[in-house]
Amino acid sequence: MTKIAPSILSADFANLQHEIIDVENGGADYIHVDVMDGHFVPNITIGPLIVKAIRPVTKLPLDVHLMIEDPDKYIRDFAEAGADIITVHVEACRHLHRTVHAIKDAGVKAGIVINPATPVELIRPILSNVDLVLFMTVNPGFGGQSFIEEVLEKVELASLWRKELNLNFEIEVDGGVNQSTAKLCKKAGVDVLVAGSAIFNQKDRKEAIEIIRNA
Ligand code: DX5
Ligand code: ZN
């Protein structure tokens, strides 16, 4: 079954605890946490302090997506705050292999993420080292943007390589996921769908999660 990772970027931050409980009760599989630094992306969101604050609120894995420059500096902080998966942008890592192993050494699952315009060939040499590959289907920085369909060709290729190389990393997509784009993602081989606005902008989160999962 396709996993659903609601992105709290579109949640009501004044009621974050209740928002998280709501999507957990609605059947979410991960809680997706978008960390932005105002440098790697043109927006500033949350840091380890918030991850620490929400950790006791849910039993679900915290899927922490770092959209920050020099992520190596903050891996330990996010791991100690309670992240279960830390995902770093290949565009922000000068020594990606080292960073991936630093995440694992911190006792956390390691994910890598590529922007829509970054070639998928760039990640092939490191696939055997990672637990998750995240494909951005929007340019990172904001919720509520539209899905870039061309990214699915990269997803299909990664899914093929996973089979050929006999690996078992999860394939996740992030950005513009709704009922119709979720369908395309599932066909391309996606295991985890991140969705922000398509879940948190709906009154009934359980129904919103089911619609995306069953698309
Ligand atoms: C975008 C973030 C996403 C964002 C997705 O930079 O990484 O996780 O919250 O939002 P939607 O689902 O609204 O496109
Ligand atoms: Zn994200």
Side-chain angles (χ1 to χ4, degrees):
M1 202 163 61
T2 311
K3 292 180 181 171
I4 307 295
S7 159
I8 59 169
L9 190 61
S10 293
D12 175 2
F13 276 88
N15 289 298
L16 202 47
Q17 176 172 4
H18 298 115
E19 295 281 72
I20 290 171
I21 291 170
D22 199 18
V23 291
E24 179 166 6
N25 291 340
D29 299 279
Y30 298 158
I31 299 295
H32 185 83
V33 181
D34 287 307
V35 177
M36 307 187 189
D37 65 351
H39 293 275
F40 182 71
V41 288
N43 195 4
I44 301 176
T45 56
I46 65 187
L49 210 60
I50 305 290
V51 173
K52 193 175 175 194
I54 64 174
R55 178 64 286 175
V57 167
T58 178
K59 287 193 291 292
L60 296 179
L62 299 179
D63 169 25
V64 177
H65 175 193
L66 297 185
M67 287 160 274
I68 63 176
E69 297 287 1
D70 209 356
D72 299 69
K73 270 190 193 161
Y74 299 98
I75 287 166
R76 187 153 296 278
D77 290 348
F78 282 102
E80 281 172 5
D84 297 279
I85 308 165
I86 294 179
T87 301
V88 290
H89 271 264
V90 307
E91 300 88 358
C93 296
R94 195 164 286 164
H95 306 289
L96 184 60
H97 183 276
R98 178 180 290 155
T99 305
V100 161
H101 285 280
I103 297 172
K104 290 186 160 179
D105 289 347
V108 177
K109 285 191 174 169
I112 52 173
V113 42
I114 60 172
N115 281 332
T118 302
V120 66
E121 285 72 15
L122 214 62
I123 62 168
R124 199 175 195 271
I126 200 165
L127 289 176
S128 63
N129 297 261
V130 303
D131 300 297
L132 179 141
V133 176
L134 172 55
F135 290 88
M136 290 312 297
T137 38
V138 298
N139 292 298
F142 304 95
Q145 305 182 81
S146 26
F147 189 85
I148 301 170
E149 220 173 296
E150 289 83 349
V151 174
L152 292 176
E153 283 176 32
K154 299 196 288 183
V155 172
E156 282 166 10
L157 210 50
S159 167
L160 195 76
W161 291 342
R162 178 170 61 178
K163 217 169 155 188
E164 276 175 13
L165 302 169
N166 203 15
L167 299 173
N168 53 15
F169 55 85
E170 288 193 309
I171 298 179
E172 185 178 49
V173 295
D174 185 6
V177 172
N178 56 34
Q179 187 175 13
S180 58
T181 57
K183 205 176 186 158
L184 305 173
C185 292
K186 284 164 73 176
K187 234 172 85 188
V190 170
D191 310 293
V192 188
L193 292 161
V194 176
S197 50
I199 293 174
F200 283 105
N201 292 357
Q202 302 300 314
K203 215 170 165 208
D204 188 337
R205 276 66 184 273
K206 187 176 199 288
E207 187 184 64
I209 288 171
E210 274 161 20
I211 285 173
I212 294 168
R213 201 196 309 273
N214 302 324

